[in-house]
Amino acid sequence: MELENIRVYHGGSFVAYRDAKVGLLTHGLNYGTGCFEGIRGYWNADHGEVYLFRLAEHFARLHQSAKLRMMDLSDDVVAMCHATIELIRQNDYRQDVYVRPLAFKAAEEIGVRLHNVRHDFAIVAIPHRSYFESGAGLRTCVSSWRRIDDNSAPARAKLTGVYVSSALAKSEAIGNGFDEAIMLTPDGHVAEGSAENIFIVRDGVVHTPPLTDAILEGVTRKTAIELLRDELRVGVVERSIDRSELYQADEVFFSGTAVGVSPVIEVDRRPVGSGSTGKIAAALADLYREITLGQVAKYRHWLTPCHSSKSDRLKIPKTAVS
Ligand SMILES: Cc1ncc(COP(=O)(O)O)c(C=O)c1O
């Protein structure tokens, strides 16, 4: 599909991608003063439907990110959900999609600050392509680049400029022959991947860094914790994790919108556990895949269908907007 011709949502209306322009001096482009989201839509051919996963939760997080950027977004969560459904329909997507909402300081002027700068909002949806080249488990390294401290630039929100840290770590990892980087907090604890939250398994219990350890408040992380506890009946502990525990863990896996649940089979050239996908990661990945495809009735409320008329009566979970 030609990017130029896709329909996007920009400044409150639906336009062609080629007509949604920003200028060279745009504040967000120069100073990284924006925030964004990554949302997946899963195509189920049997249902003839694209299911958007935890749509309202993503837009609720965008509003939280926008607060940190001193932006008062004019579209509320419900309006953003409707705009996304409309976008999938206008592009007539019948395949997996990746949705990228972006709010950014739009003034074309010099002067770094957050206050008194007008902002703009856009949503682009494109066909989804696999995030990692490796279809099997991931080979990772601990990055020499640290995650940013909350007192420098908050990692808990999805802020554009903060991603320079992820980009440095990712390129270093790829340059050294790995699939992905694992980043440490400023004080040396395990934080997360360049674009994923991280989990380790030790003696049958899952451990993951707490939200206060310089990580993004991941939607898939929250989902994984719920599924591990409620469906797989596995204990989950949120606590700081030492680097050396990565080497001793029975399993390590990532969670994220782009990657789903992705097993890690190597850290710093040391095999994780037996060096192949662990049981808990495999069970969680299977369940997550089935849920996102709309195959598990109990979790259909996490999905927003785009093509059926049901989406016109969109229900927003209270937890997502509180
Ligand atoms: C730095 C970082 N951590 C974690 C995640 C996973 O978050 P989510 O599950 O909400 O996609 C992402 C992806 O958005 C990310 O960029």
Side-chain angles (χ1 to χ4, degrees):
M1 173 176 283
E2 280 290 315
L3 195 55
E4 291 291 288
N5 293 328
I6 65 170
R7 305 285 297 166
V8 302
Y9 180 74
H10 183 216
S13 32
F14 295 92
V15 296
Y17 183 90
R18 64 174 170 276
D19 296 327
K21 301 256 191 257
V22 295
L24 291 178
L25 278 181
T26 300
H27 203 275
L29 185 61
N30 286 261
Y31 301 120
T33 47
C35 54
F36 66 110
E37 270 305 316
I39 305 168
R40 284 275 293 277
Y42 295 83
W43 169 240
N44 182 322
D46 293 337
H47 299 184
E49 192 52 272
V50 170
Y51 291 117
L52 294 163
F53 187 68
R54 303 198 85 164
L55 184 61
E57 280 90 340
H58 280 284
F59 283 123
R61 185 172 66 184
L62 184 76
H63 276 263
Q64 291 293 350
S65 300
K67 267 191 194 171
L68 283 171
R69 287 295 194 219
M70 296 175 78
M71 289 178 196
D72 190 9
L73 301 177
S74 51
D75 285 352
D76 63 11
V77 168
V78 176
M80 289 180 179
C81 290
H82 280 297
T84 307
I85 294 164
E86 181 56 24
L87 205 54
I88 303 299
R89 288 183 179 176
Q90 287 206 7
N91 286 294
D92 197 27
Y93 283 132
R94 289 170 194 277
Q95 63 201 112
D96 289 346
V97 294
Y98 187 84
V99 181
R100 167 52 50 82
L102 172 68
F104 56 100
K105 299 284 182 183
E108 294 175 58
E109 60 184 45
I110 302 296
V112 65
R113 65 186 189 281
L114 290 177
H115 62 283
N116 294 341
V117 189
R118 74 179 164 82
H119 58 263
D120 201 352
F121 176 64
I123 311 175
V124 179
I126 55 171
H128 174 75
R129 284 188 194 85
S130 182
Y131 191 75
F132 290 119
E133 279 171 24
S134 162
L138 299 170
R139 298 176 53 253
T140 64
C141 61
V142 173
S143 181
S144 67
W145 296 97
R146 295 278 168 107
R147 208 93 195 87
I148 292 172
D149 181 78
D150 190 64
N151 293 302
S152 303
R156 71 178 61 255
K158 236 172 141 55
L159 308 178
T160 52
V162 175
Y163 273 73
V164 72
S165 135
S166 288
L168 288 164
K170 179 79 182 201
S171 289
E172 179 190 56
I174 298 293
N176 289 336
F178 299 99
D179 299 313
E180 182 56 294
I182 296 173
M183 301 181 75
L184 304 181
T185 62
D187 71 351
H189 290 107
V190 174
E192 59 183 344
S194 74
E196 310 86 17
N197 292 115
I198 194 166
F199 296 78
I200 67 170
V201 181
R202 298 194 71 183
D203 298 326
V205 176
V206 175
H207 303 258
T208 194
L211 295 177
T212 44
D213 267 358
I215 64 170
L216 181 74
E217 298 191 354
V219 172
T220 323
R221 174 187 180 278
K222 187 173 149 205
T223 303
I225 292 173
E226 286 178 61
L227 295 177
L228 284 162
R229 286 181 178 152
D230 299 347
E231 302 300 331
L232 303 181
R233 303 280 166 204
V234 176
V236 183
V237 181
E238 295 176 65
R239 65 162 176 89
S240 293
I241 294 174
D242 284 337
R243 174 180 185 163
S244 55
E245 291 185 88
L246 294 171
Y247 304 150
Q248 296 193 337
D250 305 315
E251 298 185 34
V252 176
F253 58 90
F254 286 133
S255 73
T257 294
V259 307
V261 175
S262 288
V264 171
I265 55 166
E266 216 180 274
V267 180
D268 291 340
R269 305 200 190 278
R270 299 162 191 246
V272 173
S274 62
S276 55
T277 300
K279 269 197 211 141
I280 292 178
L284 182 63
D286 286 347
L287 178 59
Y288 182 76
R289 194 174 316 110
E290 286 163 18
I291 288 172
T292 52
L293 286 171
Q295 292 165 345
V296 184
K298 184 174 171 190
Y299 291 102
R300 279 279 179 89
H301 62 282
W302 283 348
L303 304 177
T304 303
C306 294
H307 293 300
S308 77
S309 55
K310 266 191 217 149
S311 52
D312 294 330
R313 304 188 303 271
L314 182 69
K315 285 195 198 97
I316 308 297
K318 279 207 180 70
T319 49
V321 283
S322 60

